[in-house]
Amino acid sequence: MLRRSIFGTLNAGRLLRLPTRYNAKTAGVLGQTRTYAHKLEADESVSESEWKGQLYSWKSICLCTIPLIAFGLGTWQIQRLKWKMALLDDVNDRMHRRPVALPLRVTAEEINRNEYRRVIVYGVYDHANEMLVGPRSYESEPGFVVVTPLVREDGSRVLVNRGWIK
């Protein structure tokens, strides 16, 4: 099967150069090239059905899906970035609001509403039940996080993260 292009004749993946103008100098070359092209056409080893079978092989289908998968993953990463930035903005906003008084009875709704929010609590630290959580590293230094229970006026306890120590 021969296909004519602007460069020449394409036959089974091989490009044959054909002169673009007919003149006295190229008359012999043009005739030889056309004769050679006709020989190739008659002696074609790959039929059109085999060529189409190779076009739709599992390898070519897998290679064509790579850009689609990469595009999908890139889109997912952009959506995830937008979600993460919105989440960080929300946490930052809650952390920088003015502190509120912690109610005596804390419900699940109250916890969700005041998550990452600073609260005001009055009471006395119970140093006898103080905990060191760790070891943890902070700025490449080993240390511990100090958690101390705060006993409120009604006897309820609130765990207070008092910071990191070496």
Side-chain angles (χ1 to χ4, degrees):
M1 175 173 102
L2 290 176
R3 292 195 177 130
R4 178 80 172 146
S5 72
I6 59 169
F7 299 109
T9 304
L10 182 65
N11 182 19
R14 294 181 294 256
L15 183 65
L16 304 173
R17 279 276 194 189
L18 293 178
T20 56
R21 293 186 183 155
Y22 180 80
N23 60 26
K25 292 181 182 177
T26 60
V29 175
L30 183 60
Q32 290 173 1
T33 307
R34 284 198 176 158
T35 304
Y36 181 66
H38 288 300
K39 285 181 184 176
L40 283 176
E41 184 178 316
D43 196 30
E44 189 175 327
S45 60
V46 178
S47 68
E48 188 172 341
S49 62
E50 289 176 8
W51 183 76
K52 285 184 180 178
Q54 290 174 358
L55 180 67
Y56 299 112
S57 70
W58 65 273
K59 291 177 187 176
S60 62
I61 291 172
C62 288
L63 284 174
C64 290
T65 58
I66 290 173
L68 297 174
I69 291 171
F71 179 76
L73 289 173
T75 304
W76 171 71
Q77 285 291 329
I78 290 171
Q79 291 172 350
R80 188 173 178 272
L81 174 68
K82 289 178 184 176
W83 168 78
K84 188 70 168 185
M85 294 303 290
L87 180 68
L88 290 174
D89 288 342
D90 184 43
V91 168
N92 194 25
D93 179 52
R94 287 179 181 213
M95 288 179 72
H96 289 93
R97 287 183 190 168
R98 64 178 182 81
V100 294
L102 187 67
L104 292 177
R105 301 294 283 165
V106 179
T107 63
E109 179 184 316
E110 192 74 30
I111 291 172
N112 290 336
R113 191 174 64 224
N114 290 320
E115 188 176 22
Y116 294 107
R117 186 129 187 225
R118 295 179 298 160
V119 295
I120 298 172
V121 169
Y122 297 101
V124 178
Y125 285 119
D126 183 9
H127 292 287
N129 292 319
E130 192 170 75
M131 297 172 275
L132 297 176
V133 180
R136 302 274 191 245
S137 87
Y138 178 72
E139 295 180 355
S140 301
E141 294 284 330
F144 295 90
V145 175
V146 180
V147 178
T148 307
L150 180 85
V151 181
R152 296 171 61 177
E153 296 169 352
D154 65 343
S156 63
R157 295 173 180 258
V158 176
L159 294 178
V160 179
N161 181 353
R162 300 201 45 204
W164 181 86
I165 60 168
K166 279 188 178 182

